[in-house]
């Protein structure tokens, strides 16, 4: 118990002594890592992801959720989506940004997966499934869990970027909550 109190006291001391850095003004405090202000636009921001020198997030600066990217090397912010529908959960997967998008949600609420190629600037719709629940991606492929609205079963499909047709992998009545793509393997939970 005494050990925990001493540790807690040291943590509080370091927080007070070092301080908490201001949002975009790292010069006001001591910092052990470099800090970068991605944007000075005041708006709601969620779903941050980073790979190498690319940082992506969802931003509500224009009234709906759109995807933005900041390139740490060029120090440039780039708007990736500009659609009246909402986009969520962006991930940087090699030279691509992949996200959930509900621009095709009418008449029912569902999400599709879209990708943006950072080399060519081309946006592509990946899925034609009724409702994507979760996805994972790497440099070569994207895998996703989806539900068929007709039978309420969980399904897993995947697609290599550039392939015209997704590949159906698995179907179950059990709840699937996660999918991952490490080492070109698709893992479901």
């Amino acid at each position: 118990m005494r050990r925990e109190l001493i540790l807690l006291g040291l943590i509080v001391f370091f927080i007070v002594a070092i301080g908490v850095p201001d949002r975009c003004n790292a010069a006001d405090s001591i910092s052990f890592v470099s800090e970068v202000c991605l944007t000075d636009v005041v708006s709601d921001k969620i779903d941050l992801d980073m790979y190498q020198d690319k940082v992506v997030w969802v931003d509500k600066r224009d009234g709906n959720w759109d995807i933005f990217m900041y390139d740490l090397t060029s120090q440039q912010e780039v708007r990736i989506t500009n659609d009246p529908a909402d986009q969520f959960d962006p991930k940087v997967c090699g030279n691509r940004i992949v996200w959930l998008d509900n621009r095709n949600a009418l008449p029912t609420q569902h999400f599709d997966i879209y990708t943006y190629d950072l080399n060519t600037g081309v946006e592509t719709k990946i899925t034609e499934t009724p409702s994507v629940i979760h996805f994972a991606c790497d440099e070569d492929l994207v895998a996703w869990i989806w539900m068929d609205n007709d039978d309420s079963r969980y399904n897993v499909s995947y697609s290599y970027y550039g392939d015209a047709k997704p590949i159906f992998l698995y179907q179950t009545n059990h709840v699937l909550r996660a999918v991952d793509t490490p080492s070109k393997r698709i893992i479901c939970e």
Side-chain angles (χ1 to χ4, degrees):
M1 178 72 170
R2 179 178 162 90
R3 204 180 240 174
E4 288 86 7
L5 288 174
I6 292 172
L7 181 59
L8 180 61
L10 286 172
I11 291 171
V12 170
F13 171 77
F14 282 116
I15 290 173
V16 171
I18 294 173
V20 178
D22 188 17
R23 188 172 83 99
C24 291
N25 191 2
D28 290 346
S29 64
I30 299 171
S31 180
F32 295 104
V33 295
S34 63
E35 297 178 16
V36 175
C37 184
L38 302 178
T39 182
D40 58 0
V41 175
V42 177
S43 61
D44 293 333
K45 296 167 186 60
I46 59 172
D47 293 345
L48 183 76
D49 188 57
M50 180 176 175
Y51 177 74
Q52 294 179 349
D53 65 342
K54 305 292 190 271
V55 181
V56 293
W57 68 93
V58 180
D59 197 308
K60 200 171 185 177
R61 66 179 67 173
D62 294 324
N64 66 300
W65 297 105
D66 283 310
I67 310 291
F68 287 80
M69 180 195 73
Y70 187 84
D71 185 314
L72 294 168
T73 302
S74 70
Q75 299 180 350
Q76 296 293 312
E77 178 184 297
V78 177
R79 182 184 206 122
I80 302 300
T81 63
N82 190 12
D83 190 271
D86 293 325
Q87 291 79 41
F88 294 102
D89 199 19
K91 302 205 181 329
V92 183
C93 304
N95 288 322
R96 296 179 184 273
I97 299 171
V98 182
W99 68 90
L100 293 176
D101 195 306
N102 78 344
R103 70 180 75 175
N104 303 306
L106 297 174
T108 61
Q109 180 74 9
H110 77 273
F111 289 98
D112 289 307
I113 297 174
Y114 279 75
T115 182
Y116 178 88
D117 188 315
L118 293 169
N119 294 328
T120 65
V122 174
E123 178 184 286
T124 306
K125 182 179 175 188
I126 298 287
T127 57
E128 294 291 338
T129 53
S131 185
V132 175
I133 297 169
H134 181 74
F135 76 94
C137 55
D138 63 21
E139 298 84 12
D140 300 314
L141 65 89
V142 60
W144 61 95
I145 298 171
W146 57 281
M147 285 191 75
D148 190 333
N149 294 334
D150 296 331
D151 64 11
S152 298
R153 292 200 279 180
Y154 290 83
N155 304 276
V156 179
S157 295
Y158 70 97
S159 180
Y160 287 93
Y161 303 116
D163 283 356
K165 185 172 175 156
I167 300 164
F168 176 77
L169 184 65
Y170 183 71
Q171 185 175 64
T172 183
N173 290 324
H174 301 286
V175 175
L176 295 175
R177 290 189 178 91
V179 63
D180 205 353
T181 58
S183 305
K184 309 297 180 260
R185 296 184 187 100
I186 298 171
I187 299 172
C188 302
E189 173 184 348

